[in-house]
Amino acid sequence: RPAGRGVSLPAGPDLRHFLRAAAAGRPGPSPELPPEPASTPGAPKVYLETYGCQMNVSDTEIAWAILQRNGYARTKELDEADVVLLVTCSVREKAEQAIWNRLQHLKAMKARRPQARAPLRIGILGCMAERLKEEILHREKLVDVVAGPDAYRDLPRLLAVAESGQQAANVLLSLDETYADILPVQTSAGGTTAFVSIMRGCDNMCSYCIVPFTRGRERSRPIASILQEVRMLSDQGVKEVTLLGQNVNSFRDLSEVQFQSVAAPGLSRGFSTVYKAKQGGLRFSHLLDQVSRIDPEMRIRFTSPHPKDFPDEASKLSETSPDHSLQVLQLIQERHNICKQLHLPAQSGSTRVLEAMRRGYTREAYLELVHHVRDSIPGVSLSSDFIAGFCGETEEDHQQTVSLLQEVRYNIGFLFAYSMRQKTRAHHRLQDDVPADVKQRRLEQLIATFREEAARANAALVGRAQLVLVEGPSKRSASELCGRNDGNIKVIFPDVELEDAECRAPGRAQPGDYVMVKVTSASSQTLRGVPLCRTTLSRAAASH
């Protein structure tokens, strides 16, 4: 989730943040990748810091993969670095201010650097680089390199220019860059979970959102490339993959000629877009089907979808579907390793505000979709995004958002006060007329309402067994373990010897193990319970 003023409850997947099968079930091209070189003595050391959303975590891994192949070494110690790269967020003003503050710290560090060492090079990558290139380059000459989200391949050249004492920048946006041939280097070695970027950019043009201007137009990776990455992660022992994009369920792989004339799918009832229906390509349901077949012991999640892109799945599948593949909600319901969890970003509960936001749906259409999802996937866990104090929001509009939180009762919420961004439609057409103190009061009421309803939703799980993927020790107690259930809710339980459902010797659970836990208490953010046994994803599904 994005950084900025507000509260993210809970943090969703932590920043833990990837093909034997090929697209359409046929052998497909596999990108030829050079071997990753071992760092040589004296290699320049790069220190990477990531701010903001999960896409930036993925971008950090892509940037590091490119630099590693060009002879750079990685350091976790800032004082050792020859190059410091900040992967930045621009979605809210507070997120950008955190970067300016960090640059002042790095400026002081640069001034203290011994003359015997090469000058420290500082780079700004990502969305803030795209939005504020000129200001970044000229403000106190703090930065040597500026690279937008589509320019990471150019980093070695930009850093070479900077080494000569010049500033270097590339913020060109691309219509086709997906980094499909770059297998990201995981930033958390040995982790049990990973993010896989499946597409870049966004075409929705919501009036409040800077993403189309910082990440460009929507384009999707070839399915074969995604499957290769997921297979690699499975071989490394990763047990959960999140398919990642600004709008994952509008995924459209155009790399295979035979599917380029496929008819566009219909939208959810009551939903609309600002762009014409897009014909051709293999769609998200096909990708999800293929990914879920790779490893029956690997959980699959995806984020973020747009509510408009869940077509009316009650209707018969179109005869133009390339392989009559299952629809997304049906796949989630039927596949034991696709998590029964959906992110349905509402942003507001007021139809009037939703229209000003250009979200393409009414409150009523959104609620109809929620009911359809819950009918299709019993026990589904729902999460959402909300903005408090958008342009022109009245007290009545705000109360409609409060009532939507109460009616839907989300398990996980991401709530923020509105922050006007230059270049957006809201900046050009609307007035940021809700005072800051009113935004904060409304935000606090939304948070309180969310917590109250989430606590009720989670309380319904007390007394029930939940399958938990162990992530590691609890941050608050070394005698407890922490993981997440199928609904992406954090679960804490004692670290004790456990029987094994697979008849292996008893032992303590390790990161990457699945443990059945009986829930004994619940809060708005966390479940607590007692472990019953170690098991597997397949066995747990079979006994359900």
Side-chain angles (χ1 to χ4, degrees):
R1 296 288 101 205
R5 185 172 185 83
V7 175
S8 141
L9 301 168
D14 297 332
L15 295 183
R16 319 156 288 190
H17 318 333
F18 258 32
L19 299 153
R20 191 172 302 161
R26 298 178 304 282
S30 176
E32 294 294 323
L33 295 172
E36 294 175 355
S39 59
T40 56
K45 293 182 178 180
V46 61
Y47 179 89
L48 287 143
E49 280 186 1
T50 307
Y51 295 78
C53 70
Q54 294 152 342
M55 287 296 295
N56 283 356
V57 178
S58 176
D59 278 10
T60 301
E61 294 168 349
I62 290 169
W64 168 228
I66 291 166
L67 290 172
Q68 187 182 53
R69 292 189 191 114
N70 282 271
Y72 284 81
R74 182 79 177 270
T75 180
K76 294 182 179 180
E77 301 298 327
L78 182 57
D79 289 340
E80 293 181 356
D82 301 299
V83 177
V84 176
L85 299 177
L86 309 184
V87 184
T88 62
C89 174
S90 205
V91 75
R92 268 173 285 279
E93 184 178 354
K94 188 174 181 181
E96 291 184 350
Q97 190 55 51
I99 301 300
W100 290 120
N101 294 343
R102 185 59 165 157
L103 286 174
Q104 289 299 327
H105 172 80
L106 293 174
K107 178 185 179 183
M109 181 178 160
K110 198 172 186 177
R112 295 194 306 267
R113 192 172 174 90
Q115 289 189 346
R117 296 180 65 184
L120 179 67
R121 286 169 285 164
I122 298 171
I124 296 292
L125 277 53
C127 292
M128 188 171 166
E130 192 68 43
R131 196 179 91 80
L132 296 173
K133 169 194 165 185
E134 295 298 329
E135 184 175 355
I136 291 169
L137 288 173
H138 297 129
R139 188 161 159 178
E140 301 183 56
K141 303 292 183 183
L142 293 173
V143 173
D144 305 290
V145 167
V146 175
D150 292 345
Y152 300 143
R153 291 182 194 272
D154 202 25
L155 275 172
R157 183 190 69 82
L158 295 174
L159 288 168
V161 171
E163 196 169 359
S164 70
Q166 303 176 62
Q167 289 182 306
N170 183 347
V171 293
L172 292 175
L173 287 173
S174 168
L175 290 175
D176 53 19
E177 178 64 88
T178 65
Y179 300 106
D181 60 327
I182 305 293
L183 288 183
V185 177
Q186 294 296 300
T187 52
S188 54
T192 62
T193 64
F195 290 124
V196 176
S197 178
I198 67 169
M199 60 194 302
R200 301 179 73 82
C202 184
D203 288 348
N204 288 320
M205 302 300 289
C206 300
S207 64
Y208 55 83
C209 189
I210 192 67
V211 167
F213 304 96
T214 58
R215 288 190 167 269
R217 300 301 296 271
E218 198 171 274
R219 62 270 191 205
S220 302
R221 278 176 70 179
I223 285 180
S225 160
I226 298 165
L227 297 180
Q228 179 191 11
E229 190 169 342
V230 175
R231 184 74 218 174
M232 178 188 76
L233 290 171
S234 173
D235 291 343
Q236 292 173 358
V238 169
K239 291 296 182 67
E240 181 181 293
V241 157
T242 300
L243 305 177
L244 190 61
Q246 251 76 37
N247 187 20
V248 291
N249 54 344
S250 65
F251 177 89
R252 193 169 62 110
D253 174 13
L254 294 168
S255 64
E256 300 206 29
V257 175
Q258 64 268 42
F259 297 125
Q260 289 186 1
S261 61
V262 174
L267 295 175
S268 306
R269 284 169 295 194
F271 290 75
S272 63
T273 67
V274 297
Y275 54 81
K276 293 181 180 179
K278 299 174 183 177
Q279 182 174 311
L282 290 168
R283 302 286 173 160
F284 183 63
S285 58
H286 184 91
L287 171 65
L288 190 60
D289 174 32
Q290 294 290 306
V291 169
S292 70
R293 295 175 186 271
I294 288 175
D295 183 349
E297 291 301 310
M298 176 187 275
R299 275 180 171 171
I300 308 300
R301 302 188 191 275
F302 56 88
T303 198
S304 290
H306 192 290
K308 76 178 187 321
D309 289 311
F310 291 101
D312 178 10
E313 300 187 14
S315 63
K316 187 177 179 182
L317 278 174
S318 167
E319 293 299 316
T320 59
S321 176
D323 60 351
H324 302 281
S325 58
L326 298 172
Q327 294 280 17
V328 171
L329 298 185
Q330 189 179 352
L331 278 167
I332 296 171
Q333 194 274 326
E334 293 185 3
R335 299 286 165 85
H336 75 275
N337 62 335
I338 302 179
C339 291
K340 311 299 183 278
Q341 177 242 328
L342 266 185
H343 187 63
L344 292 177
Q347 306 301 354
S348 175
S350 162
T351 294
R352 196 185 69 81
V353 173
L354 289 169
E355 184 177 358
M357 290 178 165
R358 300 223 300 179
R359 290 292 291 170
Y361 53 84
T362 62
R363 174 194 177 97
E364 291 73 25
Y366 180 87
L367 281 171
E368 183 179 349
L369 176 63
V370 168
H371 296 321
H372 177 50
V373 166
R374 284 190 161 144
D375 288 343
S376 303
I377 312 169
V380 67
S381 170
L382 296 182
S383 58
S384 194
D385 301 334
F386 287 93
I387 296 171
F390 184 66
C391 305
E393 183 187 73
T394 65
E395 197 61 32
E396 181 182 352
D397 294 326
H398 166 65
Q399 290 305 323
Q400 289 181 32
T401 302
V402 171
S403 71
L404 185 70
L405 283 164
Q406 293 168 332
E407 184 168 350
V408 177
R409 188 170 289 178
Y410 300 95
N411 299 87
I412 299 169
F414 305 97
L415 304 104
F416 298 94
Y418 175 62
S419 176
M420 176 75 84
R421 303 279 77 197
Q422 290 180 353
K423 295 186 180 179
T424 62
R425 184 181 179 89
H427 182 260
H428 292 297
R429 303 284 185 92
L430 303 175
Q431 293 294 316
D432 187 10
D433 54 1
V434 179
D437 60 330
V438 175
K439 287 181 184 178
Q440 187 60 26
R441 175 181 60 77
R442 291 178 183 173
L443 175 63
E444 289 169 1
Q445 185 177 4
L446 294 183
I447 291 168
T449 304
F450 160 74
R451 284 181 167 153
E452 185 178 329
E453 298 302 330
R456 289 193 179 119
N458 292 344
L461 298 174
V462 173
R464 295 167 56 181
Q466 297 286 297
L467 184 64
V468 177
L469 175 60
V470 179
E471 295 175 2
S474 167
K475 292 179 180 178
R476 296 190 178 182
S477 172
S479 64
E480 293 181 315
L481 292 174
C482 175
R484 291 183 185 269
N485 70 355
D486 192 75
N488 207 23
I489 301 167
K490 185 181 292 185
V491 183
I492 308 290
F493 59 94
D495 181 8
V496 295
E497 286 230 334
L498 295 172
E499 296 295 325
D500 192 289
E502 295 285 297
C503 300
R504 294 173 296 187
R508 293 178 183 270
Q510 302 298 317
D513 285 349
Y514 290 103
V515 174
M516 196 62 74
V517 177
K518 184 176 181 180
V519 179
T520 56
S521 66
S523 70
S524 63
Q525 300 182 55
T526 306
L527 304 175
R528 285 186 169 272
V530 293
L532 303 177
C533 64
R534 290 184 296 164
T535 186
T536 66
L537 192 54
S538 302
R539 179 177 286 270
S543 62
H544 183 63

